[in-house]
Amino acid sequence: MSQHDLKLGHPRCGDCPIRHRAVCARCEPNELEALDAIKYYRSFEAGQTVIWSGDRMDFVASVVSGIATLTQTMEDGRRQMVGLLLPSDFVGRPGRATAAYDVTATTDLVMCCFRKKPFEDMMASTPHISQRLLEMTLDELDAAREWMLLLGRKTAREKIASLLAILARRDASLKAGAGACSFDLPLSREEMADYLGLTLETVSRQISALKREGIIALEGKRHIKVADFDRLTEQTGDDTDGGVLS
Amino acid sequence: MSQHDLKLGHPRCGDCPIRHRAVCARCEPNELEALDAIKYYRSFEAGQTVIWSGDRMDFVASVVSGIATLTQTMEDGRRQMVGLLLPSDFVGRPGRATAAYDVTATTDLVMCCFRKKPFEDMMASTPHISQRLLEMTLDELDAAREWMLLLGRKTAREKIASLLAILARRDASLKAGAGACSFDLPLSREEMADYLGLTLETVSRQISALKREGIIALEGKRHIKVADFDRLTEQTGDDTDGGVLS
DNA sequence: CGCTTCATTGACGACGTTCAAGACATGTGG
DNA sequence: CCACATGTCTTGAACGTCGTCAATGAAGCG
């Protein structure tokens, strides 16, 4: 796949970087060709809104690269992030006309879009797609419920530690570093606050506290070095054994 | 369907009270017969645990009557309810061996169970079932995300009002009462607290406050009369227009 | 250099938790 | 029938965490 193809909006599905994890993961070569025919790419710059809650939404999409957020906003401005969309994650709901949440690009973002009608037609004729979508939706439901525990019962300290641990693990799995690891925060303090159900001041204070205690170190505002991953995990409030038996 | 059939565990699917809303809602008569052949009923008394998180779970099920809860518990005992299962709701995840949450009967409960293997086989051969399951899972995901907003951003007052409004609406839809309505709380104060991410004392205080202000009235501990539904809705923090345009 | 944006830090107060006592209903045994 | 225990709910008082408001700092950019 060349840069040129990307800009034309039609890299081959077979060469797609998210091919093995996205909604199309289970598709056969001929099914991929059908998808190839109806897909189109859209790019967004960091900070841009993809769609507003309540707006007509005539497409569904997969995140190809970059990060997007799903947020809900109350009349008085209180905001809660209800989902973080990473590459391969799916946006939109077949069979629904309008967006249920604000979708925002927090980094530069590329999405692989399908107009809803053709996609729904393909779903009806392609069990591999709906099977995979069901699986992904069940995973998202589990993630949402884990987040409910965090929002309802964890302290500010535990919330921050949990988020950092998740982000660290995500990057560690790519880098295979054992004791120490480091990564860039994909979210601003305010976005972290919206995700964790806190204020940005509390987020900042807790990060400073973790730094003071030597559990993490900062380079600039956005780069985190985790000195000792175990000590960070202790702060999350989660089971220490990590559910070995499951 | 006779009482006798119920006790034998095999009322006909065609006569089932949750027939039109459950995972089997889309099934054709012949598909229902196949389900009839592999299903079995289980009953639980109020307070009984259906399954513990982490335990082997070799069945999936629909709630036929009664109410069950999904809860997560931290090592130190903090608990968060992550789902409330009403009649027709589905429990369990195809393709997973163990339960992810504690499932508890809060009232007497009847469930329509399927051993996992036969059910998964049927899913593979019966698109109507996986289609419906996808739809139900997407609905649950939306509900979970709405609850994330409540847990992360609403005040105690708003949390209580939101819960009461939901329960009231649920019963009002059955009784078609307009201005005033009344219903029994299916949850204890502690269960409400676990659902709302509060302590039981705070729940009790907020209910007392709503009573003092004449927004609701209590008969006994568990029966609520909503004097003015609009005033209750005002307390939820939600949009007043109720999303007329959606 | 000022301007803007984002993050940090401090002081203070409100909201919800914690701890404790008491109310109320129900059930049990003397 | 009463005394007593038990479970659920209510209410009060003190405390603490986190939110609010405000000032300051740090980095990027015209």
Side-chain angles (χ1 to χ4, degrees):
Chain A
M1 176 180 67
S2 71
Q3 274 293 93
H4 187 61
D5 281 337
L6 238 176
K7 282 180 182 152
L8 281 177
H10 275 142
R12 307 290 312 208
C13 281
D15 301 326
C16 177
I18 58 167
R19 157 94 183 79
H20 53 303
R21 302 201 61 211
V23 72
C24 48
R26 292 237 205 298
C27 287
E28 303 291 344
N30 64 318
E31 293 166 343
L32 284 183
E33 268 176 48
L35 283 175
D36 250 327
I38 63 171
K39 82 179 190 225
Y40 59 100
Y41 273 43
R42 291 180 66 185
S43 297
F44 299 87
E45 288 173 23
Q48 262 192 306
T49 296
V50 175
I51 196 162
W52 295 101
S53 170
D55 282 2
R56 163 158 220 85
M57 182 165 179
D58 51 4
F59 66 97
V60 297
S62 294
V63 174
V64 176
S65 66
I67 293 180
T69 62
L70 300 183
T71 58
Q72 275 189 306
T73 307
M74 296 170 67
E75 314 169 77
D76 60 7
R78 281 176 282 176
R79 301 207 311 160
Q80 177 63 51
M81 197 181 297
V82 297
L84 192 61
L85 299 173
L86 305 176
S88 84
D89 283 341
F90 186 79
V91 199
R93 175 165 174 169
R96 170 181 286 169
T98 59
Y101 315 101
D102 298 335
V103 182
T104 311
T106 63
T107 66
D108 287 346
L109 180 71
V110 178
M111 300 211 303
C112 173
C113 305
F114 308 93
R115 273 178 302 116
K116 204 152 56 189
K117 185 66 173 56
F119 186 81
E120 286 166 0
D121 293 344
M122 266 214 76
M123 273 186 64
S125 62
T126 314
H128 287 150
I129 294 180
S130 20
Q131 278 168 21
R132 177 65 187 143
L133 186 56
L134 174 58
E135 198 173 54
M136 292 173 73
T137 307
L138 286 164
D139 285 342
E140 290 234 33
L141 184 56
D142 281 340
R145 285 173 167 164
E146 183 176 338
W147 215 249
M148 286 170 67
L149 176 64
L150 178 146
L151 291 173
R153 293 304 187 192
K154 288 192 175 178
T155 64
R157 162 65 66 105
E158 289 169 338
K159 287 178 175 182
I160 295 286
S162 298
L163 178 58
L164 294 182
I166 287 172
L167 293 172
R169 247 191 296 267
R170 201 173 79 76
D171 274 38
S173 65
L174 306 176
K175 293 180 196 160
C181 64
S182 75
F183 60 95
D184 277 320
L185 285 173
L187 303 174
S188 69
R189 297 291 184 271
E190 185 173 16
E191 287 164 335
M192 294 175 68
D194 285 343
Y195 203 9
L196 298 171
L198 297 170
T199 60
L200 68 92
E201 291 94 332
T202 300
V203 170
S204 186
R205 270 187 262 270
Q206 292 296 336
I207 288 180
S208 298
L210 288 172
K211 188 173 62 178
R212 223 177 300 122
E213 295 166 29
I215 297 176
I216 62 171
L218 286 191
E219 286 179 358
K221 313 284 187 188
R222 290 291 192 101
H223 193 83
I224 302 275
K225 290 197 144 178
V226 180
D228 183 349
F229 194 83
D230 288 343
R231 279 186 69 201
L232 181 61
T233 309
E234 284 169 17
Q235 307 290 318
T236 63
D238 295 331
D239 287 1
T240 41
D241 61 5
V244 177
L245 288 173
S246 65
Chain B
M1 176 181 68
S2 70
Q3 272 295 94
H4 187 59
D5 281 337
L6 240 175
K7 281 180 183 151
L8 280 178
H10 276 142
R12 307 291 312 210
C13 282
D15 300 326
C16 177
I18 57 167
R19 159 91 182 79
H20 53 302
R21 303 201 60 211
V23 72
C24 48
R26 293 239 205 298
C27 287
E28 303 290 344
N30 63 318
E31 293 166 343
L32 284 184
E33 268 175 48
L35 283 174
D36 250 327
I38 63 171
K39 81 178 190 226
Y40 58 101
Y41 272 45
R42 291 180 66 186
S43 297
F44 299 87
E45 288 173 23
Q48 263 192 306
T49 296
V50 175
I51 196 162
W52 295 102
S53 170
D55 283 2
R56 164 159 219 85
M57 182 164 179
D58 51 4
F59 65 97
V60 297
S62 295
V63 174
V64 176
S65 65
I67 292 179
T69 63
L70 301 182
T71 57
Q72 275 188 307
T73 307
M74 295 169 67
E75 314 170 76
D76 60 7
R78 281 176 282 175
R79 301 207 311 159
Q80 177 63 51
M81 196 180 297
V82 297
L84 191 62
L85 300 172
L86 305 176
S88 84
D89 283 342
F90 186 79
V91 199
R93 174 165 175 169
R96 170 182 286 168
T98 59
Y101 315 102
D102 298 336
V103 182
T104 311
T106 62
T107 65
D108 288 346
L109 181 70
V110 178
M111 300 210 304
C112 174
C113 304
F114 308 93
R115 274 178 301 118
K116 203 151 55 173
K117 185 65 173 60
F119 185 81
E120 286 166 1
D121 292 344
M122 266 214 74
M123 271 185 65
S125 62
T126 315
H128 286 150
I129 293 180
S130 21
Q131 278 168 20
R132 176 67 187 142
L133 186 56
L134 173 58
E135 198 172 55
M136 292 173 74
T137 306
L138 286 164
D139 285 341
E140 290 234 33
L141 184 55
D142 281 339
R145 285 172 167 165
E146 183 175 338
W147 216 249
M148 286 171 67
L149 175 65
L150 177 146
L151 291 173
R153 293 304 187 191
K154 288 193 177 180
T155 64
R157 162 64 65 103
E158 289 169 338
K159 287 178 175 181
I160 294 286
S162 297
L163 178 59
L164 294 181
I166 286 172
L167 294 172
R169 248 192 296 267
R170 203 174 76 77
D171 274 39
S173 65
L174 307 175
K175 292 181 196 159
C181 64
S182 75
F183 60 95
D184 278 318
L185 285 173
L187 302 173
S188 70
R189 298 290 185 271
E190 185 173 17
E191 287 165 334
M192 293 174 69
D194 285 343
Y195 202 10
L196 299 171
L198 297 170
T199 60
L200 69 89
E201 292 95 330
T202 300
V203 170
S204 185
R205 270 187 260 270
Q206 291 297 337
I207 289 181
S208 297
L210 288 172
K211 188 173 63 178
R212 223 178 300 121
E213 295 167 29
I215 296 176
I216 62 172
L218 286 191
E219 285 177 0
K221 311 286 186 189
R222 289 290 193 102
H223 193 83
I224 302 274
K225 289 196 142 176
V226 181
D228 183 348
F229 194 84
D230 289 342
R231 278 186 69 201
L232 181 60
T233 309
E234 284 169 17
Q235 307 291 317
T236 64
D238 295 331
D239 287 1
T240 41
D241 62 5
V244 177
L245 289 174
S246 69

